[in-house]
């Protein structure tokens, strides 16, 4: 009999055994039918328990997730003298298992050390230059060398460059991190040329400056033409050169109506035929002693300066000295 | 400013019926509460480094999650990039269901988009490879440029916990 057996084993009461079997039943653990039916027969002698509330939720054992076989980190298989350029050929987010360095990043929490590279999002966020180590850069330079030619001889100095290549054309291209390549500012073309290299005479220079207005910089004597009216930079480049050609040709020509230029239109003061010349002549004629040449020349120069460069302290003082000498008071 | 802030309390006091009507007579100066987590009684809330550092620590102790040239002077396509970033983040966190333990990091270089992040090893490696290929392929079609995923895996999400509050 099971009862006797249980009592013999000692300590296991029928009630406890029935509880265990009931638990076993709820956990779907296999029990022999015979023992269960015997217990049930026994239980029928006692009063059946009335269960008003539903059975308490019996917590199932937590599902254990299969731990997947993980390959050991890559740095363990890397030789000390490996070619790093082959491990990290292009820009890549930091990967702690591939980089054999014990880097740390982050502000340490109180009582902790700086967070290490494993599971460190900060190290992943920042751009790294592991793909541009010095040996790799050297290798890339060596590879590019065959496309390079030496600087042409004969244009080493700036003066020579200005002499042989007086026109400078500049244009910008733009790079954005976006799917589109277009940037409207890339169509702008700037042409710079020094007027010295244009071989213009006085009239030509004056005419060019009138045509060009504020595109000429008097300090550097450079003409700057900016073209952005066409959609393509090639078209703007052609337009720049067209403008330069037209300006030069027009300034070399003399139109029939240019003789109508009046004294007020002159861009600078001309001594010949001016009232100051007539006045000086009158003074010279009225003077008994012949005035020396250099005094006349000096007065002429000073008056020209006064008109062209404006009235300021040095020009006025020079004018005063010159007049004193002319009149004979100095 | 905090000194110039004043508020009136109209109605009955707090103890009588619990109803208060407040009125700001100057500009409302509320406390900053963006990106800040409430301390628990038993220090049970785990925070990653990202969560532990508040938005004011960006560029001091924290870095940005999105890298592109749109916010530079005369950088183009800023609003479209922002919307694309929002879409990428939603897509990644949704496709990798409950697997991301860090923020999605988006880097744009030339015309490429490189997406990085830390992922738990809850699914098999083969499934991960499939998800990587799926994300790269579909995102490149939607965003019209090459997309590369550069993920890091971590055995358990406890490995990215920085501190408990």
């Amino acid at each position: 009999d099971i009862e006797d057996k249980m009592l013999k084993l000692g300590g296991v009461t029928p009630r406890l055994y029935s509880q265990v079997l009931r638990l076993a039943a709820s956990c779907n653990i296999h029990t022999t039918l015979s023992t269960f039916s015997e217990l049930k027969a026994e239980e029928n002698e006692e009063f059946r328990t009335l269960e008003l509330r539903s059975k308490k939720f019996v917590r199932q054992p937590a599902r254990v997730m299969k731990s997947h076989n993980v390959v050991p980190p890559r740095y363990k298989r890397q030789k000390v003298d490996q070619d790093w350029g082959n491990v990290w050929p292009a820009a890549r987010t930091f990967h702690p298992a591939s980089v054999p360095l014990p880097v740390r990043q982050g502000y340490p929490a109180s009582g902790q050390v700086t967070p290490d590279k494993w599971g460190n999002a900060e190290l992943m966020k920042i751009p790294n230059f592991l793909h541009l180590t010095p040996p790799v850069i050297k290798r890339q330079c060596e590879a590019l060398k065959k496309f390079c030619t030496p600087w042409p001889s004969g244009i080493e100095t700036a003066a020579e460059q200005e002499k042989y290549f007086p026109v400078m054309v500049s244009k910008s291209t733009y790079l954005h991190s976006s799917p589109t390549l277009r940037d409207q500012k890339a169509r702008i073309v700037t042409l710079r040329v020094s007027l010295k290299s244009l071989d213009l005479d006085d009239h030509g220079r004056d005419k060019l400056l009138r045509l060009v207005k504020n595109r000429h910089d008097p300090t550097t004597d450079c003409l700057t033409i900016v073209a952005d009216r066409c959609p393509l930079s090639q078209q703007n480049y052609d337009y720049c050169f067209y403008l330069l050609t037209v300006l030069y040709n027009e300034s070399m020509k003399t139109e029939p109506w240019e003789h109508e230029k009046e004294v007020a239109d002159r861009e600078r003061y001309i001594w010949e035929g001016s009232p100051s010349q007539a006045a000086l002549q009158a003074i010279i004629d009225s003077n008994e002693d012949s005035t020396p040449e250099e005094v006349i020349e000096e007065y002429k120069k000073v008056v020209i300066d006064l008109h062209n460069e404006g009235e300021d302290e040095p020009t006025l003082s020079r004018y005063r000295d010159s007049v004193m000498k002319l009149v004979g008071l100095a | 400013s905090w000194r110039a802030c004043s508020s009136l309390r109209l109605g009955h006091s707090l103890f009588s019926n619990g109803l208060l009507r407040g009125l700001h007579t100057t500009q409302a100066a509320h406390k900053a509460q963006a990106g800040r987590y409430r301390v628990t009684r038993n220090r049970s809330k785990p925070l990653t480094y990202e969560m532990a550092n508040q938005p004011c620590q960006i560029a001091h102790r924290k870095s940005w999650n999105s890298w592109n040239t749109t916010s530079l002077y005369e950088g183009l396509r800023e609003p479209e990039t922002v919307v694309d970033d929002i879409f990428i983040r939603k897509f990644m966190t949704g496709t990798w269901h409950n697997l991301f333990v860090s923020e999605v990091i988006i880097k744009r270089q030339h015309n490429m988009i490189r997406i990085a992040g830390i992922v738990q090893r809850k699914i098999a490696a083969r499934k991960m490879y499939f998800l990587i290929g799926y994300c790269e392929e579909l995102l490149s079609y939607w965003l019209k440029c090459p997309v590369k995923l550069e993920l890091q895996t971590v055995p358990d999400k406890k490995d990215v916990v920085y501190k408990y509050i």
Side-chain angles (χ1 to χ4, degrees), chain A residues 6 48 116 120-123 128 140 164 176 203 286 326:
Chain A
M6 282 194 295
R48 289 172 295 176
D116 61 5
N120 194 331
E122 293 301 312
L123 270 171
N128 64 63
Q140 287 173 355
Y164 292 110
H176 297 273
H203 158 263
S286 64
L326 188 69

Side-chain angles (χ1 to χ4, degrees), chain A residues 64-77:
Chain A
V64 173
M65 303 291 273
K66 264 188 296 187
S67 64
H68 307 283
N69 295 336
V70 180
V71 181
R74 190 173 279 274
Y75 71 85
K76 293 212 162 92
R77 297 173 53 199

Side-chain angles (χ1 to χ4, degrees), chain A residues 68 70 91-93 96 106-109 118-122 124-127 175-179 182 185, chain B residues 49-50 61-65 67-69 74 76-77 105 107-108 110 114 116-118 122-123 150 152 162:
Chain A
H68 307 283
V70 180
R92 197 195 186 283
T93 315
Y107 190 86
W118 301 100
N120 194 331
E122 293 301 312
M124 294 175 80
K125 286 179 199 175
I126 54 171
L175 198 65
H176 297 273
S177 66
S178 70
R182 315 264 164 240
K185 299 192 294 288
Chain B
Y49 187 88
E50 177 103 35
R61 296 184 194 174
K62 230 161 90 151
S63 189
W64 287 270
N65 289 337
W67 292 75
N68 47 50
T69 61
E74 291 183 345
L76 303 174
R77 247 182 134 253
I105 298 158
K107 298 186 192 182
R108 280 181 172 74
H110 307 306
R114 299 192 288 130
I118 308 176
K122 272 208 222 167
I123 53 173
E150 292 160 356
Q152 185 192 141
Y162 173 70

Side-chain angles (χ1 to χ4, degrees), chain A residues 238-254:
Chain A
D238 294 338
Y239 182 63
C240 275
F241 273 98
Y242 160 75
L243 281 179
L244 186 65
T245 317
V246 163
L247 279 169
Y248 181 75
N249 288 330
E250 286 299 313
S251 49
M252 293 304 276
K253 277 192 260 177
T254 310

Side-chain angles (χ1 to χ4, degrees), chain B residues 52-78:
Chain B
N53 285 300
Q54 299 163 355
C56 61
Q57 297 287 7
I58 293 172
H60 297 266
R61 296 184 194 174
K62 230 161 90 151
S63 189
W64 287 270
N65 289 337
S66 188
W67 292 75
N68 47 50
T69 61
T70 54
S71 59
L72 300 176
Y73 175 63
E74 291 183 345
L76 303 174
R77 247 182 134 253
E78 188 166 8

